[in-house]
Amino acid sequence: MSDPLVDSFGRVHNYVRLSITDRCNLGCQYCRPGNRAAYTSQTDQLNFDEMVAIVNVLAEMGVTKVRITGGEPLLRPRLEELVAKLGALSGIRRIGLTTNGMLLASKARALRRAGLTDVNISLDSLLPERYAKITRGGDLGRVLDAIEACFEAGFETLKLNVVLMQGVNDDEIESFLRLTLDYPLQIRFIEYMPVGNHTEGWKAKYMPLEGILAQCAKREWNARLVEPADSLANQSFCGAADDAGPAKYYRISGAAGEFGLINPVSDHFCMGCNRLRITANGYIKPCLYWNDEWDLKPFIGNDEMLRKVFRQSLEAKPQRHEMIVQPSHKPSQHVMRRQMSQIGG
Ligand code: SAM
């Protein structure tokens, strides 16, 4: 392995989130506020070979896991070809996909065959009308079909991402928890983050996640913390025992599945950050929150220069995000140039 991807705080990076498009077929209110983001032109977008060339160098430097994200990654035709090419790279052990699921049902089997190991589907409501409202036009039926197709295709892990918002979907916590009783999947409740230029209105909808454990107690569901090694997600770690990612997982006694709590706002987990992000137009971002990014496109094909830019970006990686100003717990006034849909979450 050529010199590993270590930043100035000693954090080792073995995970890359690869955004393959900033286009989306939905307009989730918390992700694309105003639904007005300008899209990258097709010509500025990396092609699959360019993505593979970048990930190849990262893999030589210790990256073992790639998550394909967007925008909506399934809008790129022949996604299974990218998965197969990434899977053929020496060192890449896991390939995940984060998707809204709208186009997934008919593709799940081909993606699995191509080597996709892990699927995360974003699903913020189990009520069709509410789902359509949050996503500005999403069809819940299609997402449910996608979940079924994923079970049939046999992915190693299947996670549903739920961004919890007060007054929007917090009355559905129990319905989501009930899914874990019957299905071997992971429901991941995620705190709503004040990112991407839409901090106004965030505070009214933000809620911390402790209430979820209280709801279990109220129902007399015994929810126990699951050790990373025993978790359904243990296969998706990149190798190290402490590599469970930001979620803490719980299992209700007798349940087939688990639920996870991800607290990027109330309990930032930056010191454990092992991620790099590549945008659809070929920039590397060492931190989701800060605007610093480095253009990789001019150096594709020149591995020494790519390594140099990766190192530069890691040297500049800040210790932590500052979404919230303490102690007032107000969103910071920092303006993020990219919306979440332009970064990939
Ligand atoms: N289109 C795909 C999808 O819907 O999963 C992938 C892109 S989306 C940007 C990736 C993840 O970011 C989703 O799980 C979404 O819920 C999450 N996300 C977007 N905006 C967020 C916010 N303000 N707070 C928390 N999570 C957010």
Side-chain angles (χ1 to χ4, degrees), residues 17 24 28 30-31 69-73 98-100 120-122 124 161 163 190-195 198 340-341 344-345:
R17 295 180 67 93
C24 196
C28 299
Y30 54 82
C31 186
T69 177
E72 176 46 43
T98 298
T99 171
N100 59 39
N120 290 7
I121 299 179
S122 304
D124 304 315
N161 286 345
V163 177
I190 304 174
E191 282 180 344
Y192 176 27
M193 291 185 266
V195 295
H198 67 122
M340 278 293 251
S341 60

